[in-house]
């Protein structure tokens, strides 16, 4: 008797049993894994949506519709708070301020501060030259200023041809934002540090040195 057909039928029957039992085995393994994981404290928790508090972002147009008087008053109040906080010696003339800084040699260095509504800025201005520049030295001083400005960030040096003086002028753009004390300090410091340029003027005007060499020495 040929038993080969029975062997084939048995193999097919076994394969069908495996197919039917496979899902049950997978489910059983999953349940067992869950129970073992829970027992060992490594079950995954459901991730909940976290509601973050709103971020405090300063509006960029807080003072967009302010008038000239409002802008000048805002800058005026900020400057008074800053100057008083840092105990600067100053006096006021309307909306203008004169800050007096005492130098090491006992002299005083003045910084004028004005709010300019047309440009929405605060302007810092100081006179560097202590005497009137002679006409014969205007071109040389002008060359030195151009060379120094080329090496400086803000091109702050200006030659006043009419009054024969050299000034340093920097501007803090306030715009429609709040006045930031760190910026006020930054521009005041720039003007104060420019005192060192007085020696450059002396070398060109008094000592008749070459403007190019003087500017090169200052940059180095």
């Amino acid at each position: 008797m040929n038993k080969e057909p029975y062997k084939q039928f048995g193999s097919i029957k076994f394969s069908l049993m495996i197919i039917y039992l496979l899902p049950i085995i997978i489910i059983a393994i999953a349940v067992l894994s869950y129970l073992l994981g829970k027992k060992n404290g490594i079950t995954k928790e459901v991730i909940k949506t976290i509601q973050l508090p709103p971020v405090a972002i300063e509006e960029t147009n807080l003072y967009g519709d302010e008038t000239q008087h409002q802008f000048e008053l805002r800058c005026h109040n900020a400057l008074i708070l800053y100057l008083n906080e840092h105990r600067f010696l100053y006096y006021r003339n309307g909306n203008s301020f004169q800050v007096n800084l005492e130098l090491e040699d006992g002299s005083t260095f003045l910084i004028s501060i004005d709010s300019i509504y047309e440009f929405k800025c605060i302007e810092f201005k100081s006179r560097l030259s202590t005497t009137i520049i002679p006409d014969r030295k205007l071109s040389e001083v002008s060359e030195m200023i151009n060379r120094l400005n080329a090496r400086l960030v803000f091109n702050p040096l200006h030659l006043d041809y009419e009054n024969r003086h050299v000034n340093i002028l920097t501007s803090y753009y306030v715009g429609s934002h709040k006045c930031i004390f760190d910026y006020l300090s930054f521009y005041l410091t720039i003007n104060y540090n420019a005192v060192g340029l007085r020696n450059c003027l002396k070398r060109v005007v008094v000592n008749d040195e070459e403007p190019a060499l003087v500017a090169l020495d200052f940059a180095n």
Side-chain angles (χ1 to χ4, degrees):
M1 181 177 180
N2 188 3
K3 296 182 179 181
E4 189 65 28
Y6 295 99
K7 292 181 180 181
Q8 294 179 356
F9 177 75
S11 299
I12 295 172
K13 185 177 181 181
F14 178 76
S15 299
L16 291 174
M17 288 178 63
I18 294 297
I19 293 174
Y20 288 128
L21 292 175
L22 185 60
I24 298 175
I25 295 173
I26 294 175
I27 294 174
I29 292 174
V31 173
L32 183 61
S33 298
Y34 172 78
L35 293 176
L36 291 175
K38 186 175 182 181
K39 182 179 179 181
N40 294 326
I42 58 174
T43 54
K44 295 181 179 179
E45 297 181 357
V46 177
I47 299 176
K48 298 179 180 180
T49 301
I50 301 175
Q51 296 294 334
L52 297 176
V55 180
I57 301 176
E58 179 185 349
E59 297 182 22
T60 59
N61 198 30
L62 292 174
Y63 307 97
D65 299 326
E66 66 184 344
T67 63
Q68 178 174 351
H69 174 71
Q70 291 171 332
F71 174 77
E72 291 175 350
L73 182 62
R74 177 162 65 92
C75 295
H76 177 270
N77 292 337
L79 285 166
I80 287 180
L81 288 174
Y82 172 80
L83 295 173
N84 288 340
E85 178 180 322
H86 294 275
R87 299 182 179 180
F88 281 102
L89 178 62
Y90 69 93
Y91 62 90
R92 290 185 291 141
N93 181 16
N95 288 322
S96 300
F97 292 82
Q98 288 281 346
V99 178
N100 301 332
L101 300 176
E102 186 175 348
L103 303 179
E104 294 180 355
D105 60 1
S107 61
T108 301
F109 184 64
L110 299 180
I111 301 178
S112 300
I113 308 176
D114 294 283
S115 56
I116 311 298
Y117 175 72
E118 290 77 10
F119 302 104
K120 284 294 185 77
C121 71
I122 297 177
E123 184 180 87
F124 302 81
K125 184 177 181 180
S126 302
R127 178 181 294 179
L128 292 180
S129 52
T130 56
T131 59
I132 295 177
I133 299 172
D135 291 347
R136 61 185 179 82
K137 287 293 183 179
L138 283 176
S139 61
E140 295 179 15
V141 171
S142 178
E143 179 187 351
M144 184 195 69
I145 288 176
N146 290 335
R147 290 180 179 275
L148 288 174
N149 277 337
R151 297 176 178 272
L152 299 174
V153 177
F154 300 100
N155 298 329
L157 303 178
H158 299 272
L159 175 59
D160 184 348
Y161 280 94
E162 182 178 356
N163 297 309
R164 302 295 194 267
H165 283 295
V166 176
N167 302 316
I168 176 170
L169 179 66
T170 57
S171 298
Y172 162 32
Y173 176 73
V174 180
S176 300
H177 307 277
K178 294 180 179 179
C179 292
I180 300 175
F181 282 8
D182 286 345
Y183 289 168
L184 296 176
S185 179
F186 175 76
Y187 287 99
L188 272 172
T189 302
I190 288 178
N191 280 50
Y192 176 73
N193 289 340
V195 173
L197 294 172
R198 284 182 170 177
N199 185 53
C200 296
L201 284 172
K202 180 181 177 181
R203 290 175 60 183
V204 172
V205 175
V206 178
N207 300 345
D208 290 326
E209 296 186 38
E210 287 293 329
L213 295 179
V214 173
L216 185 62
D217 287 344
F218 178 81
N220 294 332

